[in-house]
Amino acid sequence: MELTSDAEIPNEEATPSPRRRGRKKSQVWDHFTIEHVSGGCTRACCKLCKQTFAYSSGSKISGTSHLKRHITQASCPMIKNEKRTRLALTAGNESEQDGGSAEVPPLKRRYRVSGYPNALFDPEKSLNCLAKMIILHDYPLHIVEQPAFVAFVESLNPRFKVLDVGSMEGEILAIYQREKENLVQTFANIPGRISLAIGLWTTSQTLGYISLAGQFIDSDWKLHRRMLNFMMVSSPHSENALSEAISLSLSDWNMKDRLFTITLDNDCSSHDIYSANLRDHLSNKHTLMLRGQLFVVRCYAHILNVVAQDVIASIHGTVYNIRESIKFVKASPSREEKFAEISLQLEIPSTKTLSLDMTTQWNTTYTMLEAGLEYKQAFTVLETCDDNYNEAPSAEDWRKVEVVCAYLKLLYDSANVIAGTAEPTSNIFYHEAWKIQHELVNAIKSEDPMISNVAKDMHEKFDKYWKDCSLVLAIAVVMDPRFKLKLVEFSFSKIYGEDSPRYLKVVSDGIHELYQEYAAQPLPLTPAYVEQAEAANHAGAATTNPPSSETEKSKKNATAAPVGNTGDKLLDFDMYLSEIAVTQPARPEIEQYLEEALVPRHPEFEILNWWKVNSVRYPTLSKMARDVLGIPMFMASGPGGGSASSVFCVGTGNRVLDEYRSSLRPELVEALFCAKDWLQYQPIVEAPATSPATVKTEV
């Protein structure tokens, strides 16, 4: 539908020159007045912000387009900052404005459609868009029965009849089913295994929910995460309930034999027993790689949150004092001004701004403490000159805050690195985890008791994560051709010292054993592999194939070949290569890969693209790399995951379903959660179909 805009209202005269006293027709003059200036010139003055604009110079008139932009595009600061409230949705609003409303009426926008009877209106498409809007924006279903919403929709098109709540539920379930069928086809074509990210949800009732999201790398070596199920269970923290939910989900999606790992964000104190029981339950129904040693992975964001909360809690009294101190300063402009004067007199060089934290986001508490630490002298002076303020921390308190902030920064920086990664493949997590482990191990040995005590509290929780996940973290980073086993060797020597060879052997044995399991499987004959193999053959990569019967026949006749026939002179060479291939089998791909030189560490390096290019050289190892790099080490971000800021959320392992969703039927809750995830990866609606009608927009 083509949109064209007229400069003026149709059938109205252009704005007259100042010499004419006729009524100005353009509606901009509801918002502007004419002011005469020297030299016979006039300027248009906005009635709201008093800003003036050129209008006429002698007989030359500037027009009103720039004046319209000032109003309609919210260039006017008064209009931009004014909060408008639309109370009337019907024609009665004009009488209310006539009754003395202070609200400035906006410029009217009118639509004139030529050939309206031929314009296309598809109520089914409109209904589908409405259902998707409810799904994507978490609107309550009963919005469709709210009088104001119904009036709004009818004002757009009286022919569209909004459904009741029951019918809208049916439309949402239909969208869910269609999208699920499409996703089933997608999963049927993925070349590798799938890993699950599992979230536990509670409600105000006795029931709970389990969310299961699948993460995988497709045939084009792109990382994906999709919500699979959102199931209601009687006890979400039970190993039996979780095991049953996983089995039902895999059966529902036809992926019984394709499970690789599961990632949990449960409480660390129960992780050993919990994961062992879960592994036992699922090993009876599903084949687990590497005897289940990689099967249960703990969420990296969760351990960062747990450690951060514990170390902040260790100085909760000082945190309270700093929070109250900042509240005191920000309570009035005069206090802020006084605090600024004190800071200036003390020549405090800090550029940080004092800000209060949100108790649900530990990173905001860290930035609050860090800023407060910069102004510690100013708070001390403020307490001496203001009798109303007595919350300044002591010198010892500030010293402990300084130590805590130093180690919170490790967690804060690590979380930001992970959250800022567009495709968080599993190889990136080893870099962050080993650095934190190394710093805490060294800090425990510090002669400063304050440092060693803080480090011990942090290390107790983080070391548990390191012991549980160091194997899977190390195997993942070995799949990075820029580091391979070399980084593991280096980091283990820093962490374990003389004992590092023993720990390194565990990683090396695990890598080789896992590779052997993949080598025992047949290579897939997907179109991607076939195309890559053909390309390699054209490049001369298949010269070691055993000779065919035609080759044998040619060999017998080789002595009779003319001397000038150079094509037959290499037949003996081909036979020699074939004999070598039989008597000296090729070395395992894992050995070739580990012995090759490291790939240079360029900033633009993309690990998935590297494996895509090198999958022909390493057909078996690339299968292993695809599954390993697709492990979701991080519940909070990544394709199909939560927002990056959720990495800092306090209590990530204890999600609570709101009262409204808790009241819905379980199948509808699942449809809303899953469909919202699936719809974000596709356009909401296709380009509208229109008849050859022309719509003019007039201002």
Side-chain angles (χ1 to χ4, degrees), residues 578-588 592:
S578 299
E579 291 171 1
I580 291 178
V582 174
T583 59
Q584 300 178 6
R587 301 185 65 204
Q592 298 178 41

Side-chain angles (χ1 to χ4, degrees), residues 162-209:
V162 181
L163 301 180
D164 57 22
V165 171
S167 301
M168 184 54 66
E169 286 184 5
E171 182 66 21
I172 289 172
L173 290 171
I175 291 175
Y176 162 77
Q177 195 59 43
R178 287 195 299 269
E179 297 301 326
K180 182 176 181 179
E181 291 171 0
N182 294 335
L183 198 53
V184 167
Q185 295 298 320
T186 299
F187 285 142
N189 295 323
I190 63 174
R193 289 176 171 257
I194 191 167
S195 293
L196 299 180
I198 299 174
L200 308 179
W201 295 69
T202 58
T203 67
S204 57
Q205 306 165 358
T206 57
L207 299 176
Y209 282 84

Side-chain angles (χ1 to χ4, degrees), residues 441-562:
V441 167
N442 286 342
I444 291 174
K445 304 172 185 176
S446 173
E447 297 180 356
D448 187 329
M450 190 172 290
I451 293 177
S452 61
N453 289 336
V454 171
K456 282 179 183 177
D457 293 339
M458 297 176 68
H459 183 259
E460 182 180 354
K461 291 285 180 67
F462 196 85
D463 186 58
K464 184 71 173 59
Y465 170 82
W466 176 257
K467 289 177 179 177
D468 291 335
C469 299
S470 59
L471 177 60
V472 66
L473 290 169
I475 291 178
V477 83
V478 170
M479 293 295 98
D480 189 333
R482 297 169 296 176
F483 302 101
K484 301 182 182 179
L485 264 174
K486 298 301 181 184
L487 179 62
V488 180
E489 293 175 4
F490 170 76
S491 56
F492 276 19
S493 67
K494 297 288 187 180
I495 296 172
Y496 300 115
E498 295 180 355
D499 291 335
S500 61
R502 177 164 59 93
Y503 292 95
L504 184 63
K505 184 177 185 302
V506 174
V507 175
S508 180
D509 290 348
I511 293 170
H512 285 82
E513 185 177 343
L514 183 62
Y515 171 78
Q516 291 302 325
E517 293 186 23
Y518 278 90
Q521 302 170 6
L523 290 175
L525 295 178
T526 62
Y529 279 88
V530 172
E531 291 174 5
Q532 292 170 353
E534 289 177 352
N537 289 338
H538 288 309
T543 58
T544 60
N545 290 334
S548 64
S549 59
E550 292 296 325
T551 305
E552 293 284 356
K553 184 177 180 180
S554 299
K555 179 183 177 183
K556 295 177 181 178
N557 299 328
T559 55

Side-chain angles (χ1 to χ4, degrees), residues 351-404:
T351 57
K352 294 182 174 63
T353 302
L354 293 177
S355 61
L356 291 171
D357 64 335
M358 296 183 291
T359 56
T360 58
Q361 299 276 332
W362 67 263
N363 60 313
T364 62
T365 304
Y366 163 68
T367 54
M368 179 186 75
L369 295 177
E370 192 180 36
L373 193 61
E374 297 280 344
Y375 292 97
K376 61 181 180 180
Q377 291 180 298
F379 283 117
T380 302
V381 173
L382 180 64
E383 190 173 40
T384 62
C385 60
D386 192 327
D387 296 335
N388 295 319
Y389 173 63
N390 57 2
E391 298 286 354
S394 65
E396 184 179 357
D397 289 338
W398 284 120
R399 166 65 178 148
K400 196 161 188 178
V401 170
E402 185 177 3
V403 173
V404 165

Side-chain angles (χ1 to χ4, degrees), residues 210-226:
I210 293 176
S211 65
L212 297 98
Q215 185 158 305
F216 61 95
I217 295 175
D218 65 15
S219 58
D220 197 37
W221 287 88
K222 300 296 183 183
L223 183 67
H224 302 275
R225 185 186 294 186
R226 296 291 185 273

